[in-house]
Amino acid sequence: MSEIRIIDVKEGILSDNHMEADKLRKELRSRHTFLLNLMASPGAGKTTTIIKTLEMLDGALKVGVLEADIDSTVDAELVAAAGAQAVQIHTGGMCHLDAEMTRAGLEGLDTASLDLIILENVGNLVCPAEFDTGASCSVMILSVPEGDDKPLKYPLMFTVCSAVIINKIDCVPFFEFDFQEFKRRVRKRNPDIAIFEVSAKTGAGFLPWVEWLSAKVNAWNETS
Amino acid sequence: MSEIRIIDVKEGILSDNHMEADKLRKELRSRHTFLLNLMASPGAGKTTTIIKTLEMLDGALKVGVLEADIDSTVDAELVAAAGAQAVQIHTGGMCHLDAEMTRAGLEGLDTASLDLIILENVGNLVCPAEFDTGASCSVMILSVPEGDDKPLKYPLMFTVCSAVIINKIDCVPFFEFDFQEFKRRVRKRNPDIAIFEVSAKTGAGFLPWVEWLSAKVNAWNETS
């Protein structure tokens, strides 16, 4: 039996999600807590990236994790086993999280004691990009097997994120993935986006990503 | 410049999508045309699977393809280059297709002359599963890099499909994918589902899939 706390959330009834998201963002800022909204396709490696990030941070930041899924607790169990405070959010079939759902999930964590909360959004490159969760920052993962043409097909996701992590670079020999072309396509949508190349499996390339994230978290929490 | 025909579709205004889907299904049946709704995550290999299927069919069925994406025409161009009638549907940001959007897309094809129309739905394991497109049959692709835990997280998708194609089996050495466990999880949701193991890149495993599909198409069109 799982000991993971499960929180069932429903789509917000508030008509103005943007206002609710801004309110949540300000509250988190006043509590010196940075909320990272992590988005990707199913199977891009969100959970593995979170676990490797926790390992690399090695206690330098106090981290909690919200795992959103339609069903199951497999991700929250993995993250809890890696030593983080973890809560599983069940979206009741919903394809994304909004600010009200995120707020409900945050109630399962001791936010005041945490520097960083990572929200693993539902695996989906479309809908999550349309809803502000109240996060301090949104980041996406695109894995090599998905292909370098995704910025052409899912433009909004690449536009709303501050960084894109290219994951599974260890399996490059198996796939045709043109890194230069991918970066060109991403930067056409979003010229200021940070791009990292990693393997969450081997840990390759994690240092620049973890340094970038830590700097963001520290800057946010110091100016609270 | 692309010569692909692009059809912009909007979400149906009809309240009863199910009724509209049934109507479309009956019309297609009376025209002896089988509509396959193909769903998967972004980058699972939908377009490559369609192209390899066309190659294996080798003219035995007259096939048209509807490529649904939020933006770009890259998929329709690839399919047209492989010799099929192809139409690009732009969903205007929508995360799925419904029956009315499918009907609008079908207007770009000479349906009466076609035995089989393959509808490549938006890359998404959540929303497309919730909307009946009017298809004769729904099939999904799950690629090895996405992982064997997906039936736990996206239960509805695995429930509404008549077959699941496990793609990218050529890259199994790079990923931990437990085929037995995956099949057990899928069949728990959907005991009657057909499961195929293929590599759209190498063509491995395509014969059973193409035979299964051809039998479905012929049975449908003969009983029209």
Side-chain angles (χ1 to χ4, degrees), chain B:
Chain B
M1 266 208 354
S2 167
E3 293 178 25
I4 294 293
R5 178 159 177 197
I6 301 174
I7 298 180
D8 291 303
V9 296
K10 288 185 184 152
E11 190 173 18
I13 50 164
L14 298 169
S15 57
D16 193 343
N17 181 59
H18 189 65
M19 200 175 71
E20 182 63 16
D22 269 342
K23 195 176 149 204
L24 178 57
R25 201 163 12 245
K26 279 177 192 146
E27 284 175 29
L28 287 169
R29 188 158 215 156
S30 73
R31 284 185 239 156
H32 305 268
T33 304
F34 185 95
L35 177 63
L36 173 70
N37 174 31
L38 187 61
M39 302 183 282
S41 295
K46 292 183 288 304
T47 310
T48 317
T49 297
I50 290 171
I51 290 170
K52 186 59 73 178
T53 301
L54 290 170
E55 191 185 314
M56 293 286 290
L57 282 168
D58 194 23
L61 297 172
K62 286 173 209 144
V63 188
V65 180
L66 293 178
E67 288 287 343
D69 276 301
I70 289 168
D71 205 353
S72 94
T73 56
V74 286
D75 288 347
E77 284 166 27
L78 286 169
V79 169
Q85 268 195 49
V87 168
Q88 182 74 51
I89 303 178
H90 281 169
T91 66
M94 284 299 295
C95 51
H96 67 273
L97 292 178
D98 63 17
E100 207 178 337
M101 296 159 90
T102 304
R103 180 187 290 280
L106 287 169
E107 282 169 15
L109 292 174
D110 177 18
T111 52
S113 74
L114 298 169
D115 303 309
L116 165 65
I117 295 168
I118 305 177
L119 169 64
E120 182 180 325
N121 215 312
V122 181
N124 183 336
L125 284 192
V126 188
C127 320
E130 294 169 20
F131 292 86
D132 190 342
T133 56
S136 319
C137 170
S138 289
V139 168
M140 66 170 294
I141 300 173
L142 188 286
S143 63
V144 164
E146 292 173 71
D148 54 36
D149 61 350
K150 294 301 163 289
L152 303 174
K153 296 179 177 179
Y154 305 92
L156 186 62
M157 180 57 79
F158 289 86
T159 307
V160 300
C161 286
S162 302
V164 53
I165 299 171
I166 310 174
N167 190 23
K168 306 192 188 180
I169 58 167
D170 55 301
C171 65
V172 156
F174 263 87
F175 300 96
E176 287 162 28
F177 190 96
D178 186 332
F179 283 81
Q180 288 317 108
E181 190 59 23
F182 175 76
K183 289 177 186 175
R184 198 185 61 74
R185 288 167 174 165
V186 172
R187 294 211 165 104
K188 199 173 163 188
R189 301 285 180 196
N190 188 345
D192 299 324
I193 199 166
I195 303 179
F196 302 99
E197 300 174 25
V198 312
S199 165
K201 193 171 161 189
T202 69
F206 259 69
L207 195 57
W209 151 245
V210 171
E211 286 178 348
W212 181 90
L213 177 63
S214 300
K216 286 260 180 201
V217 172
N218 291 330
W220 173 273
N221 292 347
E222 279 163 16
T223 60
S224 302

Side-chain angles (χ1 to χ4, degrees), chain A residues 75 145 153 168 170 174 201, chain B residues 75 145 153 168 174 201:
Chain A
D75 288 347
K153 296 182 180 177
K168 308 192 188 180
D170 56 300
F174 263 87
K201 192 171 160 188
Chain B
D75 288 347
K153 296 179 177 179
K168 306 192 188 180
F174 263 87
K201 193 171 161 189

